[in-house]
């Protein structure tokens, strides 16, 4: 056991001597009489005296004027209550050649294990090295603080081009580089996308990735690279920077993949390990900033797309918060409900809501019908409401139902009368007089004609609805057709007066005479039907530019402004309540417009001055230089 302790002690002494001998600082040990006990190699280099000349004697290194200071230091460490007490100060010492050295010395007491004073130990090193180290520490602290500011400045921008330029500018600011740039990796190419103190013409320039320093950096597996030249930089796009001698490259990673690289270019200044370290730190933050900017741009793009869809949708769209209050309201929603966005936002929607996934058909106070659907967003608790105008579909559905009911009535009435009179003739022929039999046959004939006319209207309306009306174009005299259509009308009603006002020489028109007869007949029938109180029925015509205008005026009940276009739809009359009063299936005006347009003309409903309705028809005026032509291919007849 004793051998092991002796060996351990020898090892400790050997290690201690090796540490002292190898120390980069000068270490001088003095006994209590201030004679040198130890003088290491660093002391020989610092002061110029070899150990064999100085050990055992007082070292002649303290200037006379600093002897009092030296003795005070020794006294202080000798009397220190803490055995590890140490005094550090900046002072002067002699070199062997007489030169004064500016040094920092750390002095402590050399004591035995029991605490007895054995001597003193002083460690010397150059004050210049100390100043330089302190300067580096101060500069490093300043640069770290500056890096924090730079990172904040970079992350304050969310526009990607601005971020890239700020990275290039921050790069030169931190590293002291003469210029900087940021290149993005695009497949096998590099593109310069951020520049600072480089010609603006370089922006957007591309280079081959495989011959670049970025490729070299990627192959090393490191994040930074320092390359010196200038002979190796002749082919680089950076060669436009005069005097370029060093390039530092830092890799920027976005989403775990290399996105690009920062280039710090040095033409006048020098780059070292501190600059490379700062470049590595900045490159890491640059990757984060670029990733944030890219994510922001993607979010902006998605929001722009969503906003475009939201605003352009023909459906009304609303977003409600968890309390059912409107937070978004698109333009179509305003148009459908007549509620502006500023009125809707912050309150409930102006209609009831169905359960999520269900549909609710709702009528607004404006009489508009809406189909309303809604869906919940589980992540936010919001509700998205979609609603569309189904008023026309609802009206058409109601009109078709009424059409079927009316048609059944219109068909049943003449059939019932025909069947009744036919049964009477069959059962009581021999008991009826000739006048009675003639009257019954006349009634059957009249009702049969009415029934045939109704069937014709139904068939013609079906063909018009399917856009299958075919007409031919030929020159004909519209005045003759008007006179033929109105001939005998005055005697049909004792409550109506019929006037025809056609100027002499009315131009001929291009169109289909038979289609015009049907059109005119329907307009005249409507004029009589919808002026039950009697009055004037006036038919007029005149030329107007390349057209001929035909009007049929009545002094009847008139048409509400909102219905002047609807009455030309199938199964629609101006007032559904008048259908039972006036009869009909709501196809007449739809057929009239279809026939007018098939001939290249049109028909519109207008108010008549003084009350009533004016139906205005326009047809193409015949020109001598134009030959008749088929307006629609197929059967020239109706």
């Amino acid at each position: 056991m004793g051998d092991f302790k002796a060996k351990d002690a020898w090892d400790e002494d050997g290690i201690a001597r090796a540490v002292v001998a190898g120390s980069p600082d000068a270490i001088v040990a003095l006994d209590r009489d201030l004679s040198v006990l130890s003088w290491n190699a660093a002391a020989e280099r610092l002061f110029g005296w070899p150990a064999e000349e100085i050990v055992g004697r007082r070292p002649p290194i303290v200037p006379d004027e600093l002897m009092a200071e030296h003795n005070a230091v020794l006294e202080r460490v000798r009397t220190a209550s803490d055995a590890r007490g140490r005094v550090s100060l900046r002072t002067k010492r002699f070199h062997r050649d007489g030169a004064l050295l500016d040094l920092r010395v750390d002095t402590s007491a050399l004591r035995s294990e029991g605490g007895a004073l054995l001597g003193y130990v002083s460690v010397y090193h150059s004050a210049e090295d100390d100043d330089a180290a302190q300067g580096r520490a101060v500069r490093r602290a300043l640069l770290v603080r500056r890096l924090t500011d730079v990172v904040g400045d970079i992350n304050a921008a969310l526009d990607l081009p601005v971020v890239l330029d700020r990275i290039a500018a921050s790069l030169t600011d931190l590293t002291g580089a003469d210029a900087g740039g940021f290149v993005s990796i695009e497949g096998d190419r590099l593109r310069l996308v951020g520049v600072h103190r480089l010609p603006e013409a370089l922006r957007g320039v591309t280079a081959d990735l495989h011959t670049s320093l970025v490729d070299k950096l990627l192959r090393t597996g490191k994040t930074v690279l320092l390359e010196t030249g200038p002979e190796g930089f002749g082919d680089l796009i950076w060669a436009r920077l005069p005097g370029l001698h060093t390039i530092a490259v830092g890799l920027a990673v976005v989403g775990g993949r290399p996105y690009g690289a920062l280039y710090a270019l040095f033409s006048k200044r020098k780059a070292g390990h501190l600059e490379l370290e700062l470049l590595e730190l900045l490159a890491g933050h640059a990757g984060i900033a670029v990733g944030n900017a890219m994510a922001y741009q993607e979010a902006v793009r998605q929001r722009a797309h969503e906003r475009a869809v939201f605003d352009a949708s023909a459906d009304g769209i609303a977003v409600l918060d968890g309390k059912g209050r409107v937070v978004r309201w698109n333009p179509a929603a305003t148009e459908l409900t007549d509620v502006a966005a500023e009125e809707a936002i912050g309150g409930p929607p102006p209609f009831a809501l169905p359960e999520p996934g269900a549909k609710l058909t709702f009528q607004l106070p404006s009489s508009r019908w809406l189909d309303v659907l809604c869906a919940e967003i589980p992540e936010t608790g919001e509700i998205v409401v979609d609603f569309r105008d189904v008023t026309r579909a609802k009206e058409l559905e109601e009109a078709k139902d009424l059409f079927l009911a009316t048609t059944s009535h219109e068909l049943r009435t003449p059939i019932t009368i025909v069947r009744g009179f036919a049964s009477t003739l069959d059962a009581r022929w021999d008991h009826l007089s000739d006048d009675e039999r003639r009257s019954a046959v006349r009634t059957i004939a009249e009702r049969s004609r009415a029934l045939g006319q109704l069937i014709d209207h139904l068939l013609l309306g079906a063909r018009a609805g399917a856009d299958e009306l075919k007409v031919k174009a030929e020159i004909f005299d519209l005045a003759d057709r008007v006179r033929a259509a109105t001939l005998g009308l005055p005697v049909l009603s004792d409550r109506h007066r019929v006037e025809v006002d056609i100027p002499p020489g009315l131009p001929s028109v291009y169109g289909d005479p038979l289609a015009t007869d049907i059109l005119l007949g329907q307009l005249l029938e409507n004029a009589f039907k919808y002026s039950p109180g009697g009055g004037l029925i006036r038919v007029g015509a005149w030329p107007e530019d390349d057209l001929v205008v035909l009007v049929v005026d009545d002094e009847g009940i008139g048409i509400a402004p909102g219905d002047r276009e609807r009455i030309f739809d199938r199964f629609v009359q101006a007032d559904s309540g008048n259908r039972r009063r006036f009869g009909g299936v709501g196809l007449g005006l739809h057929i009239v417009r279809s026939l007018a347009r098939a001939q290249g003309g049109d028909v519109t409903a207008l108010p008549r001055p003084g009350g009533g309705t004016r139906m205005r028809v326009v047809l193409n005026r015949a020109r001598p230089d134009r030959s008749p032509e088929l307006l629609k291919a197929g059967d020239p007849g109706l």
Side-chain angles (χ1 to χ4, degrees), residues 182-186 189-194 203-207:
F182 191 100
V183 295
S184 62
I185 301 173
E186 301 176 3
R189 305 291 294 175
L190 295 177
R191 183 181 301 277
L192 182 58
V193 291
R203 188 186 298 275
V205 171
T206 64

Side-chain angles (χ1 to χ4, degrees), residues 307-317 330-333 386:
R307 171 60 65 179
V309 172
F310 185 79
D311 289 345
S313 174
D315 285 5
I317 301 176
N330 76 338
D386 181 279

